[in-house]
Amino acid sequence: MELATIGGIVLVFVAVIVSLIMEGASPTSIILIPPIILVFLGSIGAAVAGGFLSDVSSILKQTVKAFTTSAPKSADAVTELIGLADIARREGLLALEEKARSAKDPFLREGLEMTVDGTDADEIYDVLAARIKTRKKADQLGIKFFADMGGYAPTIGIIGTVIGLIHVLSNLDAPEELGHLIAGAFVATLWGVMTANVMWLPLSSKLKRISEAEALHLEMVLEGIMSIQAGTSPRVVEKRLRAVIAGDAPLQDAA
C-alpha cells in the first residue's frame, strides 16, 4: 500500500472538518446524500461517456494502481544489471541464460532472453522501446479519465446547486425554511469542487507520476541490457545507469 495518496486525501478532509468546527458549523452539515450521489455518479458517468465501455476495467485497475504502487526499486535493478554485466564480461553472454529464466522482471527477462539468443542489438532496442511506448499509452487512459472527472465534477456540482435553488424558489411561502434550503443547495457545489481538487485531479497526477517513474525505470533497464549486449564493462554500465536515474548515491563498483 502506497500511503502518500491516501494520506494526502485524508489530510485535506481533516482540514475541511476542522475548518467547519472552528467556524461553529457541524461536519454533518455537508453530509447530504442527494448532492453526493449527483456529484460522484455524475462525474463518473460523464468521464465514462467520453470513452469506451471496455475502458472501465482498465480504469478500475488504474485506480487500484494509484493507491498501491510504490516507486520502482531502480537502485536494486542497477545492482542486478551491474552483476549481469560482470558475468557477461567474464563468461560470455550465454552465461546469462539461467539468469534470464529466473529474472522476476518480465521486461528484463525478455531483454536477456533476446540477448542470449544472439538477437541483433537494433532489434532488441526496437522491441523493448516499443514495450515502453505501449506502457506509456496504456497509462494515459487512467490519467485522462481522472483528469476529465476533475473537470466535470465542479460543473456537475453547480448543476446540483441549481437544482437546489429551484427547490428553494418553490418554497418561498415558507421563509423559515429558506436558510436551510439555500445552504443545502450550495453543498453540491462544495462537493463538486472538493472532489475535483482533493480526489480526481490528485489521482490523475499520481498516475502520471507513477507512469513517469516506471518509464524511467524501464529506460534504465533498457540501457543496461544494451550495454550488456555490447560487452560494456561493469564500471561503465554503472555510470550509464546512474546517468539515467541521476540523484542516487553511487553503488560500489563491480569489477
Side-chain angles (χ1 to χ4, degrees):
M1 182 65 69
E2 216 291 313
L3 298 179
T5 302
I6 295 176
I9 292 174
V10 169
L11 183 62
V12 177
F13 276 106
V14 168
V16 171
I17 292 172
V18 170
S19 297
L20 283 169
I21 294 173
M22 292 180 68
E23 291 290 340
S26 171
T28 59
S29 62
I30 65 171
I31 309 299
L32 299 179
I33 301 303
I36 291 176
I37 291 175
L38 173 64
V39 169
F40 275 83
L41 292 185
S43 301
I44 293 172
V48 169
F52 297 107
L53 191 59
S54 59
D55 295 340
V56 175
S57 61
S58 298
I59 297 302
L60 293 175
K61 293 177 182 178
Q62 292 276 306
T63 304
V64 173
K65 185 177 182 179
F67 288 100
T68 59
T69 302
S70 301
K73 296 180 179 179
S74 296
D76 292 344
V78 169
T79 303
E80 182 178 8
L81 287 164
I82 291 173
L84 294 171
D86 185 48
I87 294 173
R89 182 86 170 195
R90 292 174 183 272
E91 304 175 30
L93 293 176
L94 290 178
L96 299 177
E97 186 172 4
E98 183 62 33
K99 295 291 184 180
R101 292 199 194 100
S102 61
K104 296 180 180 179
D105 183 350
F107 185 82
L108 174 60
R109 182 167 59 249
E110 182 178 14
L112 290 177
E113 287 174 347
M114 287 191 292
T115 299
V116 172
D117 290 342
T119 306
D120 182 72
D122 290 338
E123 187 172 347
I124 294 175
Y125 182 87
D126 289 342
V127 170
L128 296 182
R131 295 275 189 271
I132 298 175
K133 187 176 181 180
T134 300
R135 174 76 69 86
K136 288 180 179 179
K137 286 184 177 179
D139 292 341
Q140 285 300 315
L141 184 62
I143 295 170
K144 180 182 182 299
F145 183 84
F146 286 109
D148 287 346
M149 286 184 67
Y152 295 135
T155 303
I156 293 174
I158 293 174
I159 293 173
T161 297
V162 173
I163 293 173
L165 291 177
I166 291 173
H167 187 208
V168 170
L169 294 175
S170 66
N171 286 274
L172 292 178
D173 56 343
E176 69 280 1
E177 296 289 333
L178 292 182
H180 174 72
L181 292 174
I182 292 173
F186 282 100
V187 169
T189 297
L190 171 64
W191 277 101
V193 174
M194 187 163 63
T195 55
N197 292 281
V198 175
M199 298 177 66
W200 314 137
L201 293 179
L203 283 175
S204 177
S205 296
K206 179 61 177 289
L207 288 174
K208 182 179 180 181
R209 180 70 184 92
I210 291 172
S211 179
E212 291 172 346
E214 290 182 341
L216 180 63
H217 177 81
L218 294 178
E219 288 168 1
M220 182 272 295
V221 174
L222 173 57
E223 179 64 32
I225 291 170
M226 299 309 300
S227 296
I228 292 170
Q229 197 274 343
T232 308
S233 74
R235 294 176 186 274
V236 176
V237 170
E238 178 179 0
K239 290 180 181 179
R240 288 181 177 177
L241 300 186
R242 289 299 177 197
V244 178
I245 54 167
D248 288 344
L251 291 174
Q252 197 172 19
D253 284 336

